[in-house]
Amino acid sequence: MSSQFLLAFFLVLLVLGYGAQGLQQDDPGSPALFGKVQESISSYWDTAKAAAQELYQKTYLTSVDEKLRDMYSKSSAAMSTYAGIFTDQLFTLLKGE
């Protein structure tokens, strides 16, 4: 639940940051206000990133890391096999008999 909340929080900050940047580019009338908003959001973003990194370092499990590496290697091997089969079929289809 907390990881979903953290993800939602990051997404909200990201949207607000891009929104403030877009408003700053669209309305050159008050660049100081938008600059402050963008700087504030950037500060919040950096704080949130630091908190997420700290949380990740606290909850780092080597067994999970090993499982993820194993899953990646197996899935990439399977994908390369299927990509090879697909390219062979495509070349056969294009070349003909």
Side-chain angles (χ1 to χ4, degrees):
M1 176 69 183
S2 64
S3 63
Q4 291 174 347
F5 176 76
L6 191 61
L7 179 63
F9 179 71
F10 286 140
L11 290 175
V12 167
L13 283 178
L14 185 65
V15 167
L16 288 175
Y18 281 122
Q21 185 178 8
L23 287 175
Q24 184 178 7
Q25 292 173 354
D26 292 343
D27 185 20
S30 56
L33 174 64
F34 292 119
K36 289 179 183 177
V37 169
Q38 188 175 9
E39 183 179 318
S40 173
I41 290 174
S42 175
S43 170
Y44 289 136
W45 177 255
D46 291 338
T47 304
K49 271 192 340 188
Q53 183 68 23
E54 182 180 337
L55 181 65
Y56 175 75
Q57 292 297 331
K58 284 182 182 178
T59 59
Y60 180 75
L61 299 173
T62 56
S63 63
V64 173
D65 189 41
E66 290 173 7
K67 288 179 183 177
L68 287 174
R69 286 183 184 172
D70 184 48
M71 187 186 326
Y72 174 76
S73 65
K74 287 181 179 178
S75 62
S76 63
M79 286 304 296
S80 64
T81 301
Y82 289 122
I85 292 170
F86 177 74
T87 32
D88 287 344
Q89 292 294 318
L90 185 65
F91 285 145
T92 303
L93 179 70
L94 292 175
K95 184 180 175 187
E97 295 284 331

